[in-house]
Amino acid sequence: MKKPEILAPAGSLDKLKIAVDFGADAVYIGGGKLNLRAFSDNFTNEEMAEAVKYCHDRGRKLYVTMNVFPRNFDLTGVEEYIVGLKDLGIDAIIVADPSIIMAAKKAAPDLEIHISTQANTTNWMATKFWHEAGAKRVVLARELTLKEIAKIKENIPEDCEIEAFVHGSMCIAYSGRCLISNYMLGRDANKGICSNACRYKYYLVEETRPNEYYPVIEDDQGTYIMNSKDLCMIKYIPELVKAGIDSFKIEGRMKNEFYVASTVKAYREAVDSYFENPDNYEFKEEWMDMLLKISHRQYHTGFFFGRMGEQCYEESSYIRDYEIVGIVQDYNEETKEATILQKNRVFEGDEVEVLRAKTPYFTITLNDMYDLDKKAKTNVANRAHMLFKIKVDKPLKAKDMLIKGRKVINL
């Protein structure tokens, strides 16, 4: 069996480095043109150059998304942009529209092409078509079952790779091709500026009763009829591998560092554990615990087992039981002091968990907090990105993340 690639999202250079450090085999990012996450911190050419070096120095790959459906005016300068990406040394571009394939084959014929899930590829003939058109890899539609994926793998050339999403947000529309946001707010989901209108709470209104709102499902919560649960396949690594998937893709270029680190760590450990001993593989609940700590909606298994996509009917907000409160910048072994970059409010004396690659969670207590900016003792780190020092009884490492459970106050 071929060990599948763990493919992680990165909305910024810092997140890319975290994805690589926590075990991603490859990372996908957005550049300055034609990608479906217009609101993420997309990479400049200078950042992409640094990203390529960071990945390649560690034997990892970097893919750049160009997966919008372009209009005529979007194609201006696209060939020059592709040549620029090739010159930067990126490993592949992810595309959804034939026009980008044509431009890439002309401008950079040796550049690897991956077909985006936006292309809605649902069968082996379409997969083979894209391969013959020049694609090295096809990211399958999210609506496929494991049996359908295995059938596709059986009927395509050996050098044609398939990729599938295994974790992250799901869309009510077919592989993300939606017009609700366009109609309601004029924000084009197919150009990267989706308003997530599917997550809103909807009621029915009869035209002669303009102020009488009827919930679509009659309860006191209203309903979220298009609010998909999040995908999570961490418990089914053997099934994903046996289906022949070459790359396990994690959704989330808009998600934070905590999300990137935890998802990559969980899937990295699960895949590695399976390949160490496939016949005696056992799922570890600690992997699911990692994924339950990050911001998420209710989890489900998508369409992989033949069920229809599941919706969260109660509310659209994320479950956020934990949050990242700091990232370790350095640690002095002699003084047992750590310098921390604040990410969320945290107090002196708080007990926090430490998230580190290749290491189980462990807890520390934050003692003797010192504000480096104000050069004074403090009992709280409450300013965004403030630097502070703490004394800890266990050694820390640069890039360790400090995670804290959120207190829920019931009024």
Side-chain angles (χ1 to χ4, degrees), residues 167-237:
H167 193 93
S169 296
M170 295 284 279
C171 182
I172 186 64
Y174 209 95
S175 288
R177 299 177 81 165
C178 181
L179 289 174
I180 298 174
S181 178
N182 301 51
Y183 281 117
M184 293 184 65
L185 295 167
R187 285 169 48 176
D188 193 342
N190 300 303
K191 286 293 187 67
I193 50 175
C194 180
S195 66
N196 288 315
C198 57
R199 309 291 182 187
Y200 299 170
K201 180 184 286 191
Y202 290 93
Y203 291 87
L204 293 175
V205 178
E206 200 277 323
E207 67 177 343
T208 64
R209 300 175 176 84
N211 294 314
E212 297 181 25
Y213 300 99
Y214 299 92
V216 178
I217 294 177
E218 292 189 14
D219 59 24
D220 57 2
Q221 298 292 326
T223 187
Y224 296 86
I225 56 176
M226 296 178 287
N227 181 40
S228 297
K229 293 181 179 179
D230 281 0
L231 176 65
C232 179
M233 287 294 288
I234 192 68
K235 292 184 176 181
Y236 303 97
I237 298 301

Side-chain angles (χ1 to χ4, degrees), residues 106-271:
K106 179 181 177 182
D110 296 329
L111 182 59
E112 194 168 297
I113 296 171
H114 297 179
I115 302 300
S116 170
T117 192
Q118 293 288 116
N120 309 143
T121 306
T122 57
N123 61 74
W124 67 265
M125 290 186 71
T127 307
K128 192 174 180 181
F129 167 84
W130 288 120
H131 182 60
E132 292 176 354
K136 170 69 173 177
R137 177 185 296 182
V138 177
V139 188
L140 299 176
R142 303 188 199 192
E143 292 74 24
L144 294 178
T145 66
L146 286 169
K147 289 182 179 180
E148 290 174 312
I149 292 172
K151 186 71 172 179
I152 289 172
K153 190 67 176 179
E154 291 171 5
N155 287 277
I156 59 176
E158 287 188 10
D159 63 341
C160 179
E161 298 176 354
I162 57 174
E163 179 178 304
F165 280 93
V166 299
H167 193 93
S169 296
M170 295 284 279
C171 182
I172 186 64
Y174 209 95
S175 288
R177 299 177 81 165
C178 181
L179 289 174
I180 298 174
S181 178
N182 301 51
Y183 281 117
M184 293 184 65
L185 295 167
R187 285 169 48 176
D188 193 342
N190 300 303
K191 286 293 187 67
I193 50 175
C194 180
S195 66
N196 288 315
C198 57
R199 309 291 182 187
Y200 299 170
K201 180 184 286 191
Y202 290 93
Y203 291 87
L204 293 175
V205 178
E206 200 277 323
E207 67 177 343
T208 64
R209 300 175 176 84
N211 294 314
E212 297 181 25
Y213 300 99
Y214 299 92
V216 178
I217 294 177
E218 292 189 14
D219 59 24
D220 57 2
Q221 298 292 326
T223 187
Y224 296 86
I225 56 176
M226 296 178 287
N227 181 40
S228 297
K229 293 181 179 179
D230 281 0
L231 176 65
C232 179
M233 287 294 288
I234 192 68
K235 292 184 176 181
Y236 303 97
I237 298 301
E239 290 85 349
L240 293 168
V241 173
K242 291 172 184 176
I245 300 169
D246 296 286
S247 179
F248 292 177
K249 189 169 193 173
I250 299 167
E251 182 275 339
R253 279 194 288 139
M254 301 282 285
K255 305 292 179 62
N256 66 14
E257 300 97 328
F258 181 24
Y259 174 93
V260 173
S262 297
T263 52
V264 171
K265 179 178 171 68
Y267 282 91
R268 174 80 281 151
E269 292 183 5
V271 169

Side-chain angles (χ1 to χ4, degrees), residues 167-370:
H167 193 93
S169 296
M170 295 284 279
C171 182
I172 186 64
Y174 209 95
S175 288
R177 299 177 81 165
C178 181
L179 289 174
I180 298 174
S181 178
N182 301 51
Y183 281 117
M184 293 184 65
L185 295 167
R187 285 169 48 176
D188 193 342
N190 300 303
K191 286 293 187 67
I193 50 175
C194 180
S195 66
N196 288 315
C198 57
R199 309 291 182 187
Y200 299 170
K201 180 184 286 191
Y202 290 93
Y203 291 87
L204 293 175
V205 178
E206 200 277 323
E207 67 177 343
T208 64
R209 300 175 176 84
N211 294 314
E212 297 181 25
Y213 300 99
Y214 299 92
V216 178
I217 294 177
E218 292 189 14
D219 59 24
D220 57 2
Q221 298 292 326
T223 187
Y224 296 86
I225 56 176
M226 296 178 287
N227 181 40
S228 297
K229 293 181 179 179
D230 281 0
L231 176 65
C232 179
M233 287 294 288
I234 192 68
K235 292 184 176 181
Y236 303 97
I237 298 301
E239 290 85 349
L240 293 168
V241 173
K242 291 172 184 176
I245 300 169
D246 296 286
S247 179
F248 292 177
K249 189 169 193 173
I250 299 167
E251 182 275 339
R253 279 194 288 139
M254 301 282 285
K255 305 292 179 62
N256 66 14
E257 300 97 328
F258 181 24
Y259 174 93
V260 173
S262 297
T263 52
V264 171
K265 179 178 171 68
Y267 282 91
R268 174 80 281 151
E269 292 183 5
V271 169
D272 287 351
S273 178
Y274 175 72
F275 275 83
E276 284 172 7
N277 194 345
D279 294 333
N280 296 297
Y281 170 77
E282 292 185 5
F283 175 77
K284 297 179 181 178
E285 285 298 333
E286 64 192 66
W287 300 329
M288 178 56 79
D289 290 342
M290 292 182 210
L291 300 179
L292 290 172
K293 282 186 168 81
I294 59 176
S295 177
H296 66 282
R297 298 183 183 90
Q298 296 174 45
Y299 284 134
H300 75 137
T301 56
F303 297 84
F304 280 112
F305 295 104
R307 295 188 289 272
M308 295 297 98
E310 298 178 17
Q311 313 301 314
C312 302
Y313 294 114
E314 295 81 17
E315 59 180 344
S316 64
S317 60
Y318 283 94
I319 300 168
R320 292 187 174 96
D321 294 333
Y322 287 78
E323 62 186 3
I324 178 173
V325 295
I327 298 178
V328 176
Q329 304 300 292
D330 61 57
Y331 177 77
N332 187 316
E333 292 185 3
E334 292 184 4
T335 63
K336 295 186 177 181
E337 289 181 319
T339 302
I340 312 295
L341 176 68
Q342 190 259 24
K343 302 298 290 186
N344 279 293
R345 187 175 63 170
V346 64
F347 292 87
E348 182 181 47
D350 277 350
E351 185 176 80
V352 299
E353 297 182 55
V354 179
L355 175 61
R356 178 188 296 169
K358 301 179 181 179
T359 303
Y361 268 106
F362 61 93
T363 60
I364 61 171
T365 301
L366 307 184
N367 297 314
D368 299 328
M369 188 177 286
Y370 184 86

